[in-house]
Amino acid sequence: MYAPLLNENRGGTFDLVRLGYICIVDEHSRVLWSLGDPEDFVFYRSASKPIQSLPVFELGLDKQYGFTDEESVVLSASHDGMPCHVAAVESILKKSGLSEDMMCMKPTIPGDEKSNEDRIRAGLPPRKVYHNCSGKHCALMLTQRALGGEVRDYWKTGTPVHARVEQTIKTVSETDTVKIGVDGCGVPVFAVPVRSIAAAYKNLACIDTIRDESLRRAAADNVRRIGRYPYMIRGAGILCSVMNEDPNIIAKGGANGVYGFGLKKQRLGVSLKLVDGTESAWPFLIMEILRALGALTPEHEARLEKLHPKYFVNDNDLVVGEREALFHISL
């Protein structure tokens, strides 16, 4: 039940079409506009991270262990393995008495090219802290231990942390039903209706609309930190960090083409999903949506333009085509 979102034209001739979903909800979580069926289920993937990290703040674990605002952002991040990200994960592990070997995923290399080159020159092996989900794993381990569960079981379904995170996802996403899969990093991943992702990001943008008081406080704290240290959520110049540089926006993307963002001034939530899993069209789609909603500032437009949203290039860095939106948003 998805719909055409954009064409990619090459040399002025149609080349391919991207299919997917877009959903926009108001402050009451009512669907104002959508493409594709907003009741279809899609996996949050990493777009859930600013939500599933909330139990850490709700339980006061950040204060208990003395995490700084900057390093705590990595709990919600898909970081790029840059030195600032690795240092934050290492600090959280050290302060809380957890260890890298407790993480369930295999060791890997930094996503940031320069950071990986520096690792190679230094002769350092792959590590689990380099994984872009290592901050999320820290959040899950911390919550599992605080709830009385065995730390090393944090990645399993049926554990205290899984139950707590699932309930958090349901509350913030305003849905009674989630479907469970396994994420790329080995932990449970949640599928909800497309409209529920939009509702969740509306709630993160409009904290007062979150129905649970303790989650309201936790979300306010987390969103404030992400806005203050946006480079910790992904990496300098990468879309999620660029999006969160705008004080009006809280945003996070996930694997296989899913993205969510909330607008504080407009009190709106937006979700989108490209069903072929592509991420290259995100900046173009997001700029079209922001422009239509009156939320695209000149400063933010300039930053997003650097990500080459409309025109695409070949291996020789020559512009060979452009994207064309197949929708018109009218609220």
Side-chain angles (χ1 to χ4, degrees), residues 124-263:
L124 299 175
R127 294 180 61 187
K128 295 183 178 185
V129 295
Y130 296 146
H131 196 288
N132 73 338
C133 294
S134 60
K136 175 181 74 175
H137 286 245
C138 287
L140 295 173
M141 290 191 294
L142 287 162
T143 304
Q144 170 80 337
R145 184 173 64 185
L147 296 176
E150 170 56 47
V151 174
R152 292 182 184 272
D153 289 340
Y154 76 93
W155 57 274
K156 300 177 181 178
T157 58
T159 55
V161 66
H162 173 74
R164 184 64 167 263
V165 169
E166 181 177 340
Q167 185 55 55
T168 301
I169 293 287
K170 287 180 176 178
T171 300
V172 179
S173 306
E174 299 183 15
T175 182
D176 295 325
T177 306
V178 300
K179 298 180 180 181
I180 307 298
V182 180
D183 215 339
C185 60
V187 299
V189 63
F190 307 91
V192 300
V194 175
R195 61 164 177 79
S196 294
I197 297 177
Y201 275 86
K202 178 272 299 181
N203 282 327
L204 293 179
C206 308
I207 301 297
D208 59 289
T209 65
I210 297 176
R211 297 169 182 174
D212 182 273
E213 182 179 352
S214 61
L215 283 175
R216 281 200 299 272
R217 291 195 298 267
D221 204 2
N222 197 27
V223 170
R224 175 184 61 81
R225 298 180 192 205
I226 292 170
R228 187 176 178 188
Y229 301 102
Y231 56 88
M232 294 298 291
I233 201 77
R234 189 71 174 90
I238 303 177
L239 180 62
C240 284
S241 292
V242 170
M243 285 289 283
N244 285 290
E245 287 173 1
D246 187 328
N248 187 39
I249 296 175
I250 174 67
K252 184 71 179 69
N256 288 349
V258 65
Y259 209 93
F261 62 91
L263 302 175

